[in-house]
Amino acid sequence: MTMVSAPTTDALYLLHEGTQYQSYQFLGSHVEERDSVKGINFAVWAPNAKQVNVSGSFNGWDGSNHKMSMSGGVWTLFVPELEEGTLYKYEIVTLDDECYLKSDPYAFHTELRPGTASIVTSLEGYEWQDEEWLATKTSNQFLQQPLLIYEVHLGSWKRKEDGSFYTYLELADELVDYVLERGYTHIELMPLEEHPLDASWGYQVTSYFSVTSRFGSPKDFMQFVDRCHQKGIGVIMDWVPAHFCKDAHGLTRFDGTPLYEYADSRKGENPTWGTQIFDYGKPEVLSFLISNALFWMDVYHIDGLRVDAVYSILTLNFDREEEDRITNEFGGDENLEGIAFLQKLNAVVFSRYPNALMMAEDSSSYPGVTASVEHGGLGFNYKWNLGFTWNTLEYMKKNQAERCEAEDQLTNSLLGAWDENYILPYAHDEVVHDTKSLLGKMSGDDNWQRFANLRVLYAYMIGHPGKKLLFMGNEFGQMDDWNSESALPWNLLAFEEHQQFASFVTHMNHFYVGEKALWELDHDASGFEPIGEEDKSDGLVMFIRKAENEDEHLIMICNFKTEKHEGYRLGVMKPGSYQEVFNSDKAEYGGSGVVNDTTLLSEENACQGRSYSIMLNIPPLAAVAVKYIPQEG
């Protein structure tokens, strides 16, 4: 990556057109040499300021002798003999002669909180070792490949004995190997852009181009990503273009006027989160946001972005009271500028990174989220299926007597499984704020039933069409809500039932990754076939998952009731032999040990609309996967 010097006329033109997609190369602070003198060039967009000065550790935080000059709305200043590591801010003098300090919107590094100064930092010079990973990625890699994501909040995955954070370099050793051993294909990192408050989890950003200093330096983070790639693990980052926080040193009223946010407070403020909303109609804001998305891919080799709070970008009235509602020029409540931004974002990202993962965290029913921009869609390649998440968890809270009449709540997601390219997430939002952990949500008379319920739910998710995501701690049965201010309760692994559950999740993950039938046709309804869906009285949800080669198919049988079924007759697609290849009721997982350990031979005995059938045992509160064994020759 090569940074350029002061902005050229062409660069400024593109910035003001909303098509400057590498604005970080000239805005911000950059080490450079002029007339054989090394120094730092500063550049900041602040078109409505009366004056901007550079204030920092080098001038006693008095910018009066380091005044910047303005051209095309961008203020610049070259300061000779300054070096990397210099702390600085911009001293903004408003048209009303107010004066305050702002962090650099394009800073590559910032002070550790509670400090808020920007730090002059070069991102050049890191020698990447992930060429093999980059070479093996293709534009269709993930639609027809397994995608199993481990969502992580780095600040609370583990903590040291004194309560301090693990560093990027320490996590590169410990976390990456943990994820690899447990069968995940990707790590998704909760927001890493610099933010002022640990308790915000990173969703209220102040410095979009700064990887948080809580865990180390920018090059330390490069090494973390590099290590992931060398081990065959992809990296997705939670990205927050929907809003930014109001902290005084951040983007809010940056030059004394609403610059990054909408000027109309009805559009420019999110009443629920107490944050500002980006002005998606302003070209320079589009250049800022799209440059930022590309920056994480250009500089840090990030494989994709989970775009947070898409619904709030799509509508003008997200969480707004009825009396405060506003409309667009056509009388609707769609944010037409927000929609256009998302389409432009995805079009630009995929034009440069056709193999990127762009995932919409969207709770709305907006159509075509994963349809191409050319066909009127938003252009993402995945959407979180939050309806699946909420409905399955509500079903699992129900007791046995209630489940038969509520089965549609569990299975309705199968009817629309191909409306979008979906990810099925059991994410951090499901285990916080007194909502209980996933294990805590399970109904049951005792711990055995609760663990069994969670095993069958996870297996149902693995069998259900769509890619998968699981938040940290849920892989070993965390019992309490997630607490972002302390480490996960790793001590639970001292107890046998949690050890057994962790072993189940690891085996389930590897089973999923190894079976083409569970992911090769995720995006195609031809890869799925229901069985016995008309009977809602037995607690069974059964279906066939197929690979492109139809001989490579699996039958998933999920029993959501406590009654086991001995000698159950099951209709099958083809005559021949079948074998149980996965069973969540194994004794080693803490189950009751009802398994099918012999080959299951089909009979010409019609059942469930199929000419052939097999007989098997179905354990209580468990899932069984049966695989067709093609005849040799």
Side-chain angles (χ1 to χ4, degrees):
M1 180 193 66
T2 302
M3 298 295 180
V4 299
S5 59
T8 64
T9 301
D10 287 346
L12 289 176
Y13 174 80
L14 295 177
L15 177 73
H16 300 315
E17 287 289 300
T19 56
Q20 175 51 263
Y21 303 136
Q22 291 180 308
S23 51
Y24 64 86
Q25 290 191 345
F26 59 85
L27 291 173
S29 61
H30 297 277
V31 180
E32 60 181 71
E33 185 174 313
R34 295 189 183 182
D35 300 324
S36 301
V37 177
K38 288 186 176 180
I40 308 298
N41 190 67
F42 298 92
V44 61
W45 176 58
N48 303 306
K50 185 175 183 178
Q51 176 62 47
V52 180
N53 308 322
V54 181
S55 172
S57 56
F58 62 96
N59 61 15
W61 296 98
D62 179 0
S64 59
N65 291 322
H66 291 89
K67 296 182 182 294
M68 307 178 80
S69 59
M70 198 257 285
S71 175
V74 173
W75 298 79
T76 60
L77 176 69
F78 177 75
V79 182
E81 299 180 353
L82 284 189
E83 298 179 347
E84 273 197 82
T86 299
L87 274 61
Y88 72 99
K89 286 187 178 182
Y90 293 119
E91 194 174 271
I92 307 288
V93 181
T94 73
L95 295 175
D96 296 327
D97 289 323
E98 293 181 0
C99 184
Y100 47 79
L101 293 175
K102 287 285 190 180
S103 300
D104 187 347
Y106 283 86
F108 296 147
H109 199 203
T110 60
E111 281 189 295
L112 180 63
R113 50 78 181 115
T116 58
S118 303
I119 305 174
V120 174
T121 304
S122 172
L123 299 180
E124 298 181 1
Y126 181 80
E127 295 184 8
W128 288 88
Q129 305 294 320
D130 62 349
E131 297 86 357
E132 184 177 349
W133 169 265
L134 298 176
T136 58
K137 290 163 63 174
T138 67
S139 60
N140 202 34
Q141 180 178 8
F142 298 112
L143 283 178
Q144 294 186 285
Q145 293 291 324
L147 186 57
L148 179 58
I149 303 165
Y150 187 63
E151 186 189 24
V152 179
H153 178 258
L154 292 182
S156 59
W157 182 69
K158 283 190 177 181
R159 291 274 183 102
K160 297 179 182 178
E161 288 187 7
D162 62 0
S164 61
F165 296 131
Y166 276 68
T167 66
Y168 293 123
L169 298 181
E170 291 165 336
L171 291 162
D173 289 328
E174 195 157 340
L175 174 59
V176 178
D177 284 344
Y178 179 87
V179 168
L180 181 66
E181 290 166 4
R182 280 148 189 80
Y184 296 95
T185 65
H186 288 71
I187 297 174
E188 180 176 306
L189 301 171
M190 289 173 67
L192 290 175
E193 297 147 320
E194 195 58 82
H195 52 282
L197 185 66
D198 291 352
S200 78
W201 313 335
Y203 287 99
Q204 296 194 3
V205 179
T206 48
S207 296
Y208 275 77
F209 289 84
S210 292
V211 66
T212 180
S213 55
R214 286 169 176 79
F215 315 116
S217 71
K219 288 181 181 174
D220 291 344
F221 181 60
M222 290 179 189
Q223 187 166 328
F224 173 84
V225 176
D226 204 2
R227 186 74 58 81
C228 287
H229 288 173
Q230 291 172 42
K231 295 289 183 78
I233 302 294
V235 181
I236 302 160
M237 191 184 78
D238 218 332
W239 188 57
V240 193
H243 61 130
F244 57 89
C245 62
K246 294 181 178 180
D247 290 56
H249 66 282
L251 297 178
T252 186
R253 295 188 65 86
F254 187 81
D255 62 359
T257 68
L259 188 64
Y260 287 89
E261 66 270 37
Y262 282 109
D264 183 342
S265 62
R266 296 175 303 168
K267 293 176 67 177
E269 295 197 21
N270 185 302
T272 301
W273 298 327
T275 52
Q276 310 262 211
I277 299 171
F278 282 104
D279 183 346
Y280 304 111
K282 195 172 289 181
E284 296 86 355
V285 172
L286 296 182
S287 290
F288 173 83
L289 287 172
I290 297 176
S291 288
N292 186 248
L294 291 171
F295 167 81
W296 293 97
M297 299 178 189
D298 292 345
V299 174
Y300 289 109
H301 292 202
I302 292 291
D303 298 287
L305 302 174
R306 178 263 199 189
V307 181
D308 181 59
V310 166
Y311 184 19
S312 72
I313 300 174
L314 296 174
T315 178
L316 295 169
N317 294 304
F318 181 76
D319 274 6
R320 203 175 296 279
E321 297 294 335
E322 187 66 33
E323 62 270 18
D324 297 326
R325 294 177 72 85
I326 56 179
T327 59
N328 60 36
E329 60 192 280
F330 301 107
D333 72 348
E334 300 88 358
N335 186 341
L336 302 177
E337 294 167 341
I339 293 169
F341 155 66
L342 292 172
Q343 292 176 320
K344 188 173 187 178
L345 165 72
N346 286 314
V348 172
V349 167
F350 287 121
S351 72
R352 298 179 184 226
Y353 292 97
N355 50 13
L357 290 166
M358 294 296 289
M359 304 172 170
E361 188 272 320
D362 174 29
S363 57
S364 78
S365 57
Y366 188 90
V369 172
T370 58
S372 68
V373 174
E374 291 79 5
H375 291 92
L378 294 182
F380 290 95
N381 51 9
Y382 284 105
K383 174 181 175 175
W384 276 28
N385 191 340
L386 294 170
F388 166 88
T389 305
W390 299 331
N391 288 333
T392 54
L393 290 177
E394 284 302 310
Y395 174 85
M396 297 306 293
K397 293 176 185 176
K398 298 184 186 301
N399 61 41
Q400 295 288 301
E402 298 171 314
R403 285 189 175 179
C404 289
E405 294 196 3
E407 189 169 296
D408 284 347
Q409 188 172 32
L410 179 72
T411 59
N412 272 348
S413 56
L414 291 169
L415 301 176
W418 304 275
D419 292 345
E420 306 275 5
N421 297 328
Y422 281 123
I423 290 173
L424 311 180
Y426 289 124
H428 64 275
D429 277 334
E430 314 314 322
V431 295
V432 291
H433 302 318
D434 299 321
T435 64
K436 297 184 180 180
S437 66
L438 294 189
L439 182 63
K441 289 179 170 66
M442 299 298 106
S443 67
D445 298 332
D446 53 27
N447 253 9
W448 188 93
Q449 287 192 5
R450 283 186 281 274
F451 272 107
N453 267 310
L454 193 54
R455 288 195 300 269
V456 69
L457 174 63
Y458 281 8
Y460 177 64
M461 172 191 70
I462 288 295
H464 192 294
K467 309 307 184 185
K468 328 295 177 186
L469 179 144
L470 193 65
F471 182 59
M472 65 181 198
N474 290 316
E475 75 274 16
F476 58 78
Q478 179 169 335
M479 302 184 75
D480 297 322
D481 292 0
W482 166 53
N483 179 4
S484 64
E485 297 182 28
S486 62
L488 293 177
W490 296 100
N491 60 300
L492 290 177
L493 287 170
F495 299 94
E496 184 180 28
E497 58 189 356
H498 291 277
Q499 291 176 10
Q500 291 172 327
F501 187 76
S503 176
F504 158 75
V505 173
T506 296
H507 291 169
M508 178 189 74
N509 289 351
H510 285 284
F511 167 67
Y512 163 76
V513 171
E515 292 290 344
K516 287 184 177 181
L518 293 177
W519 39 259
E520 197 169 48
L521 292 178
D522 261 336
H523 58 296
D524 190 332
S526 68
F528 176 87
E529 191 175 312
I531 300 174
E533 69 272 26
E534 65 281 348
D535 186 354
K536 302 185 186 303
S537 63
D538 54 11
L540 299 179
V541 178
M542 303 178 291
F543 47 83
I544 300 169
R545 293 299 309 275
K546 307 172 192 174
E548 286 188 337
N549 177 355
E550 199 171 88
D551 279 350
E552 297 185 57
H553 70 266
L554 289 171
I555 306 172
M556 291 290 301
I557 305 107
C558 301
N559 183 5
F560 290 92
K561 299 194 77 173
T562 52
E563 291 79 25
K564 68 179 179 181
H565 301 262
E566 294 183 342
Y568 184 89
R569 185 167 293 280
L570 177 71
V572 296
M573 285 174 53
K574 293 187 175 187
S577 302
Y578 290 79
Q579 182 178 355
E580 179 181 281
V581 289
F582 185 79
N583 188 324
S584 70
D585 193 51
K586 283 185 176 180
E588 65 186 274
Y589 303 150
S592 62
V594 176
V595 298
N596 299 277
D597 52 10
T598 60
T599 300
L600 305 170
L601 299 175
S602 69
E603 304 173 40
E604 196 170 349
N605 190 335
C607 181
Q608 294 160 329
R610 292 164 179 83
S611 300
Y612 298 88
S613 59
I614 57 174
M615 299 275 284
L616 77 162
N617 297 322
I618 303 174
L621 289 178
V624 174
V626 175
K627 187 173 184 178
Y628 174 65
I629 310 299
Q631 294 182 347
E632 294 185 5

